[in-house]
Every structure is written in C-alpha cells, then in structure tokens.
Amino acid sequence: MSLPVKLTRVRRLVFQQPARGAPRVQSVVRNQVELRACDLDSTLPAEHQARAVWAFVQSLDLQARYAQIRAVEGSVGRAPIDPAILMSLWLYATLDGVGSARELDRLCESCDAYRWLCGGVGVNHHTLGDFRVAHAQWLDGQLTRNVAALLSQGLVSNRVAHDGMRVRAHAGAASFRRRETLQQLMQDAQAQVQALKQELGAGTRRVRAARQRAASEREQRLERALQAMDEIDKSLSGKGKKRQADCTRADTAQDESDRTQTAVDAQVAGEQTAQEHPKETKKPKKPKEPKEPRVSTTDCEARVMKMADGGFHPAFNAQLAVDTATMIITGVDLINSGSDMNQMLPMHEQHQDRYARVPDEWLADGGFAKHGHIEQLEARATKVFAPVLAPKDKQRDRYAPLPGDSQALSQWRERMGTDAAKQLYKERAASIECTNAHLRNRGLQRVNVRGLIKARAVLLWHALAHNLKRMMALNFAFAA
C-alpha cells in the first residue's frame, strides 16, 4: 500500500466525529416542594396601591366596629377578623373591579396584594359578604368624615355637579308579577311550607331544614312583594286624583277659551249666529288608563327603568354629587325612581346635613331643572346652572324671563344666557360624567345584592374607593 493512501485513512480515523447523543438541558420541575424564606411585606413594592389602601383604612374611625366585638381580653370567645382587614380587602377589590365575595376569597389565596392585606389571617366568603352590606350607615359616616377633612384643608371647592346613573338590579325582567299572580304564588308558598312541616323521614334532618328554610324565604319575599304592591297602588291613586284634577282644570280652561272665541266670532260675523257657523274644536284626548303595576318577586324594591342603551331593565337610580375641581364624591343616594326631576333639593339638603354648609354653585342637567327646586336653592344662596328648556315658539328667546316667573327663575334664565355660564357649565360633563365612567369601569354596571339598603352599601363602597383613588392622585397624606 502506498504512503498517500495510508495517510488518507489516518486522517479519516483522526477527524471522524463520534455519534451524537441526546442534548442535555435543565428542564422544569414543578412538583418539587420548596421552602422559601420570604415575608409578605417583601412581595409588594413600596409604591403598590395596596399599601395606600391600608394607610387609608388606618386613618378611618373604626371604633364603632371594634365596639361590637364581644371577644375581649380576659373572657372566652374566638377572636374575629380585624375590621381593618375586611375594610381594606373590599376597598382594594372595588378598585380592582371585583364585586363577588367568592372571587375575593379566591384572590386572598392566590394574589400577593390580597395576601399582603390579609397578613396571614384566613377569610371566607360568608364573612366578606356579610361585612360588605351590613354597615351602610357607618360607611355613609366615613364618607362624610373623609370629605369634611378635605374641606377643612381647602382641597375641595364650593362648586358641585349632580347627576343620576341607572344601575342594573339583581332581578330578572321575568320576575315581575301582577297582584293576582302574587296572591296565587303566596298561597302556593304557604301551602308548601305547611307540607314541609308535616313531612317525616323525607331525607336527613339537615336536608329537611334546608328545604323548609328555602320555602320560608320564598314566602317572605312574596309577602314583601305584596306590601310593595300596596305602596305602589297608594302612590298611583294619589297621582290619579291629581291627574283628574288637572284634567278638570284643563277642561274648564278649554270651555272658557271656547266661549271667548265664540263671542269674538259672533261680533265679527255680525248678523251670523254661532249656530250658523259653529266652531270646530278638537276633542280632548282621553287620558290613558294606567297599566296594572307589577312587582318583582326577587327584589321587590327594584323598578323597571329606561337605561342608557334605550332598553328597559330592573334597575336603581344612583344619585351622585361631585366636586368639579377634584372629582371627589361629596353626596350619594340610591332611589328606585327612574326620574331625576325631584332629586336636586334632597341632594342639596344632604350636603347641608353632612357638612353644615351649602355649595355656592350647583351644576345639573335638564332633568333636574324643576322650577320649585331652583327657587329653593337660590333662596339658600346656591346658584343653579341648568339648561333652560327650549320653548315651543321658536321666535321667543328662551333666556328672556316669562311674565309669571319669580325673581329667582328670572335670574336663572338670564344667567344661563351669558357666555360665562355656558363656559362654566362645561365643567359638569368633565367632572360628573367622568366620575360615572370610572365607576362603570370598576364594575358598577349591576349590583349583585338585593334591596335598596344593600345596594346603597355597595354604592358607598364605590364612592369611598373612588375618593381614595382621587386622594392618591392629589398626593394626599393619610394620617393614622
């Protein structure tokens, strides 16, 4: 064999790569138990929103909540959860758009921010749900105390914007029943309760108690629905009498107008009599008979209202008043009437009761512009800025005082015709409409509780959370 051939074989043996095996990498192992040396405080950064919520709660007056705790030093009883923990959890959950107690319970186990607020204390959805709706009056007092502190420091102006917002109720449209159906359902519920009391051996004692409790609760809801139906009938009967009186006055005025016109026609016609040329008059329209009212068997205090999308749904009317400079909510109310016409004066009186002072300027839309309320607010040194209704006669100036106007109404009409008032009125939409949008984005589309009292408590939680967010934006320091 020649030398070049040998050299070639040697090169092949030297430079030939060995067979390549499977690549070695560091793979994930998620079932390995680990022990981490980490405290809850290090899981959140110093500027986290949960820390601001806790500081805000520490500045609140919680003595009324601690006074109701029966487990005290030196006596028996299990220590309950600190009210400050429950308060901070619901405030942070409201800012986070969480409105379910069960969802909040799950977050307290999985989310670092909620775990930090709990601080190692275990919570459950029953306690969370009860705390949310059980202290509406106390929450209202905290709102007053919070805004009063801002007023004392000059952070809130003396100009208020007022608006109403429809919020869906926790009731379905199919749950509304008329009186006859409610009475029949009441009889069926009473018969079911009696039948369950007489049952023996049908399931365990726990199952029987649960079935009897469910039937009793249904009977109570139907009883409240019938009581609400009686209240609606009373209000409708009063409105019917007023409508009948208005129709009588209108008919009398129409008869006087007809007699006057007949006399004028007879004088112009001369020899022709009114019988030869009878005046054609329009027949007065018959008032529509009101439909029989209906009440929900789920939430007897909910009412069907026209919503922003044009549809009709069971809802409540959330009344809010905000400071135009800071968008701080200064007044809160919840009603089951779909109209805003009679709500300006009660909200103004609420400010008087809360802060012992009234705003200098009050901004509202045309739905609140009731003449009687405008006169009373003007008498209390509050200028009203609300749009003037356009007259049917297009030739007449809407801002010109009418002959029957009082001095307050005349000043209101002339004021709204000025450029300064039109420029100032733009602050209404920039403040209250923006606040409504923030509340909607945080989940105030529909309340998941029943009844005006509980729904008002949910609205107060949103108001406190919104004010907390605005105070954070204003760099307000919370004093413990």
Side-chain angles (χ1 to χ4, degrees):
M1 183 179 295
S2 61
L3 184 59
V5 176
K6 291 182 178 180
L7 293 173
T8 302
R9 294 181 62 186
V10 171
R11 290 191 186 98
R12 289 176 179 175
L13 292 174
V14 172
F15 296 103
Q16 186 175 4
Q17 297 292 335
R20 182 178 176 83
R24 292 182 290 108
V25 295
Q26 297 183 15
S27 301
V28 296
V29 181
R30 296 189 177 92
N31 58 354
Q32 178 67 41
V33 178
E34 296 181 354
L35 296 178
R36 295 186 178 184
C38 178
D39 61 329
L40 285 174
D41 198 57
S42 62
T43 59
L44 296 184
E47 299 81 10
H48 198 276
Q49 185 173 254
R51 296 182 182 273
V53 171
W54 183 255
F56 173 74
V57 172
Q58 294 300 308
S59 68
L60 299 177
D61 183 12
L62 300 175
Q63 292 302 320
R65 302 277 64 78
Y66 290 120
Q68 294 183 348
I69 297 177
R70 291 180 293 178
V72 296
E73 295 292 341
S75 65
V76 298
R78 181 180 179 181
I81 302 174
D82 190 347
I85 297 177
L86 301 175
M87 183 79 182
S88 60
L89 284 174
W90 273 119
L91 281 176
Y92 189 80
T94 304
L95 290 174
D96 204 20
V98 177
S100 169
R102 293 181 182 272
E103 178 65 20
L104 179 55
D105 186 10
R106 288 189 289 267
L107 289 171
C108 290
E109 299 178 357
S110 60
C111 181
D112 287 339
Y114 293 93
R115 291 175 60 244
W116 184 90
L117 290 172
C118 289
V121 178
V123 297
N124 58 82
H125 67 272
H126 286 292
T127 303
L128 291 170
D130 293 341
F131 185 84
R132 188 190 189 193
V133 298
H135 311 294
Q137 186 175 359
W138 177 78
L139 291 173
D140 189 79
Q142 295 305 309
L143 177 66
T144 302
R145 182 173 177 267
N146 176 244
V147 178
L150 297 175
L151 281 169
S152 64
Q153 300 186 18
L155 297 178
V156 176
S157 68
N158 231 7
R159 183 179 298 160
V160 169
H162 181 198
D163 194 20
M165 179 175 61
R166 312 297 185 272
V167 182
R168 290 282 299 274
H170 192 58
S175 65
F176 283 78
R177 297 288 187 269
R178 293 183 173 86
R179 178 179 292 275
E180 184 178 355
T181 306
L182 287 175
Q183 293 174 347
Q184 181 62 41
L185 292 175
M186 185 67 177
Q187 295 176 2
D188 297 342
Q190 292 174 348
Q192 185 180 9
V193 170
Q194 295 299 326
L196 289 173
K197 289 181 179 180
Q198 297 175 1
E199 284 186 0
L200 296 176
T204 63
R205 183 176 62 181
R206 184 176 180 180
V207 172
R208 292 197 302 270
R211 293 175 60 187
Q212 186 174 347
R213 182 173 62 253
S216 299
E217 290 176 354
R218 177 174 173 79
E219 181 183 5
Q220 293 173 4
R221 289 198 304 269
L222 290 170
E223 184 178 359
R224 290 193 297 267
L226 286 171
Q227 293 175 357
M229 180 69 74
D230 294 336
E231 295 177 0
I232 293 175
D233 288 340
K234 290 180 181 178
S235 63
L236 289 179
S237 62
K239 290 181 180 178
K241 293 179 180 178
K242 182 179 179 181
R243 189 183 300 109
Q244 184 177 2
D246 293 341
C247 292
T248 303
R249 287 194 297 268
D251 293 341
T252 303
Q254 182 67 30
D255 293 340
E256 293 178 357
S257 177
D258 292 345
R259 287 195 296 268
T260 304
Q261 187 65 35
T262 302
V264 172
D265 292 342
Q267 183 178 1
V268 173
E271 297 179 355
Q272 296 178 349
T273 61
Q275 288 78 11
E276 295 174 348
H277 299 281
K279 184 180 182 297
E280 297 181 0
T281 58
K282 294 183 179 179
K283 295 182 179 179
K285 294 182 179 180
K286 295 182 179 179
K288 295 182 179 179
E289 296 182 0
K291 296 181 179 180
E292 187 178 355
R294 299 184 301 168
V295 176
S296 172
T297 57
T298 305
D299 188 352
C300 63
E301 293 181 317
R303 299 291 181 266
V304 177
M305 302 180 187
K306 187 175 183 180
M307 309 300 288
D309 58 357
F312 291 86
H313 303 284
F316 294 111
N317 188 353
Q319 296 288 315
L320 298 173
V322 303
D323 173 57
T324 58
T326 60
M327 289 196 296
I328 293 287
I329 296 178
T330 59
V332 170
D333 198 7
L334 191 75
I335 59 175
N336 57 359
S337 174
S339 174
D340 297 330
M341 182 57 69
N342 295 314
Q343 303 308 317
M344 186 163 60
L345 182 60
M347 183 61 72
H348 188 269
E349 293 175 346
Q350 183 183 136
H351 279 71
Q352 175 68 36
D353 296 338
R354 285 182 184 271
Y355 316 115
R357 57 187 293 185
V358 294
D360 294 336
E361 298 166 334
W362 194 276
L363 282 62
D365 61 23
F368 293 89
K370 187 173 183 179
H371 291 178
H373 289 190
I374 294 175
E375 292 174 343
Q376 295 192 48
L377 263 66
E378 293 284 348
R380 300 177 184 182
T382 299
K383 294 182 179 180
V384 178
F385 291 84
V388 181
L389 184 65
K392 295 181 179 180
D393 185 8
K394 297 182 180 180
Q395 303 297 327
R396 184 174 68 83
D397 183 12
R398 72 164 71 182
Y399 303 114
L402 296 178
D405 284 347
S406 62
Q407 183 180 359
L409 292 178
S410 300
Q411 293 176 353
W412 164 63
R413 293 183 191 275
E414 294 175 350
R415 182 191 312 126
M416 294 308 299
T418 61
D419 295 335
K422 294 177 181 179
Q423 186 66 27
L424 186 146
Y425 187 72
K426 294 180 180 179
E427 297 183 12
R428 189 203 71 85
S431 56
I432 186 63
E433 297 295 350
C434 184
T435 301
N436 291 343
H438 283 310
L439 297 183
R440 295 284 193 191
N441 292 335
R442 297 191 188 108
L444 194 59
Q445 302 280 351
R446 177 174 182 169
V447 292
N448 54 359
V449 295
R450 298 169 182 170
L452 273 172
I453 297 177
K454 294 182 179 180
R456 190 173 186 272
V458 173
L459 181 61
L460 286 168
W461 281 108
H462 278 273
L464 286 171
H466 174 81
N467 286 356
L468 168 60
K469 194 72 173 178
R470 295 305 306 160
M471 293 165 70
M472 292 167 58
L474 296 172
N475 296 322
F476 183 82
F478 304 112

